[in-house]
């Protein structure tokens, strides 16, 4: 009698749809999460150890992407201009992207520094927006405008630091990406542990 009850419980456990679903999810996701976490950790460590080499590889990849995108826009622009009488802006934009891509591939260090200057412009633009917003909040006597003023000071300080030390800014970008990858790896490991606990529970 007891053996019959045990067999019935075993059969119910085997046909439990929730358990089966979690088991399939674990079998599919666990290897991917572990491999992804290991890849992120290895890449981030390499970025910390050899930031110059990573900068060169990054600018080369950006250059290739710009060339491919520029060729696509140029070809698409010619097709549109032939069929509809327009598209010359796309052709011009595509050619500019191709030129920028070639420059990124040929002059990786200079291209990365130019990216730093782009970040400077973005920081200053964000600071200007935050300042205008804070002024409007002060006029309306509403909201926590002091937080926006603090952001303005931080963004302007970052822009000045990047202008004075552009090479250091390029390295800072690499370290920022490395830390981001480590955080992604930690998230993958956490998800793996949670999946493992869930599998054991069911």
């Amino acid at each position: 009698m007891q053996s019959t009850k045990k067999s019935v419980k075993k059969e119910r456990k085997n046909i439990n749809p929730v358990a089966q679903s979690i088991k399939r999810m674990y079998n599919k996701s666990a290897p991917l999460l572990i491999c992804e976490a290991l890849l992120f950790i290895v890449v981030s460590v390499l970025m910390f150890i050899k930031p110059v080499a990573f900068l060169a590889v990054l600018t080369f990849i950006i250059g290739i992407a710009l060339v491919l995108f520029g060729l696509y826009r140029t070809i698409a622009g010619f097709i549109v201009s032939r069929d509809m009488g327009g598209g010359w802006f796309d052709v011009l934009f595509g050619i500019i992207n191709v030129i920028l891509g070639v420059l990124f591939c040929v002059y990786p260090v200079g291209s990365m520094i130019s990216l730093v200057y782009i970040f400077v412009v973005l920081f200053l633009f964000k600071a200007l927006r935050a300042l205008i917003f804070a002024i409007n909040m002060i006029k309306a006597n509403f909201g926590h405008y002091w937080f926006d003023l603090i952001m303005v000071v931080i963004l302007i300080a970052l822009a000045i630091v990047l202008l004075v030390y552009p090479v250091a800014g390029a390295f800072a970008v690499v370290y920022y990406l490395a830390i981001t990858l480590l955080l992604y790896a930690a998230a993958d490991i956490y998800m793996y542990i949670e999946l493992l606990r869930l599998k054991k529970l069911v």
Side-chain angles (χ1 to χ4, degrees), residues 89-122:
F89 176 78
D90 289 327
V91 173
L92 180 62
F93 184 70
I95 292 173
I96 291 173
N97 275 275
V98 171
I99 294 172
L100 286 175
V102 172
L103 290 175
F104 266 74
C105 293
V106 177
Y107 304 105
V109 178
S111 300
M112 181 52 67
I113 293 176
S114 67
L115 280 179
V116 172
Y117 289 132
I118 292 173
F119 275 105
V120 169
V121 174
L122 289 176

Side-chain angles (χ1 to χ4, degrees), residues 10-202:
K10 188 175 181 181
E11 288 178 1
R12 287 180 180 176
K13 186 177 180 181
N14 289 335
I15 63 173
N16 186 351
V18 177
Q20 293 296 323
S21 177
I22 290 173
K23 186 177 180 181
R24 285 195 300 269
M25 183 172 61
Y26 175 83
N27 292 334
K28 289 181 180 179
S29 302
L32 179 63
L33 289 172
I34 293 299
C35 292
E36 192 176 76
L38 289 174
L39 177 64
F40 287 161
I41 291 171
V42 170
V43 172
S44 60
V45 169
L46 289 175
M47 289 166 69
F48 277 115
I49 295 174
K50 296 185 176 181
V52 177
F54 179 80
L55 281 173
V57 172
L58 180 63
T59 51
F60 184 78
I61 292 173
I62 293 174
I64 295 296
L66 285 172
V67 169
L68 293 175
F69 178 72
L71 289 174
Y72 166 75
R73 289 296 296 268
T74 303
I75 294 170
F78 272 118
I79 293 173
V80 172
S81 64
R82 184 184 63 189
D83 294 341
M84 302 175 60
W88 294 112
F89 176 78
D90 289 327
V91 173
L92 180 62
F93 184 70
I95 292 173
I96 291 173
N97 275 275
V98 171
I99 294 172
L100 286 175
V102 172
L103 290 175
F104 266 74
C105 293
V106 177
Y107 304 105
V109 178
S111 300
M112 181 52 67
I113 293 176
S114 67
L115 280 179
V116 172
Y117 289 132
I118 292 173
F119 275 105
V120 169
V121 174
L122 289 176
F123 285 156
L124 291 176
F125 179 71
K126 282 182 171 288
L128 180 62
R129 287 184 60 186
L131 180 61
I132 293 173
F133 184 78
I135 291 172
N136 290 332
M137 290 297 100
I138 292 172
K139 288 180 179 179
N141 195 20
F142 176 79
H144 303 286
Y145 59 85
W146 53 268
F147 177 76
D148 295 289
L149 292 176
I150 292 173
M151 289 302 300
V152 170
V153 173
I154 292 173
L155 289 169
I156 292 175
L158 286 173
I160 292 173
V161 170
L162 290 178
L163 280 173
V164 177
Y165 305 105
V167 177
F171 283 102
V173 171
V174 176
Y175 294 140
Y176 169 78
L177 291 174
I179 293 171
T180 303
L181 288 179
L182 285 176
L183 291 175
Y184 278 125
D188 285 339
I189 294 171
Y190 172 76
M191 289 175 65
Y192 169 76
I193 293 172
E194 289 299 313
L195 274 176
L196 187 61
R197 288 178 58 190
L198 190 60
K199 182 186 175 187
K200 289 180 178 179
L201 284 175
V202 299

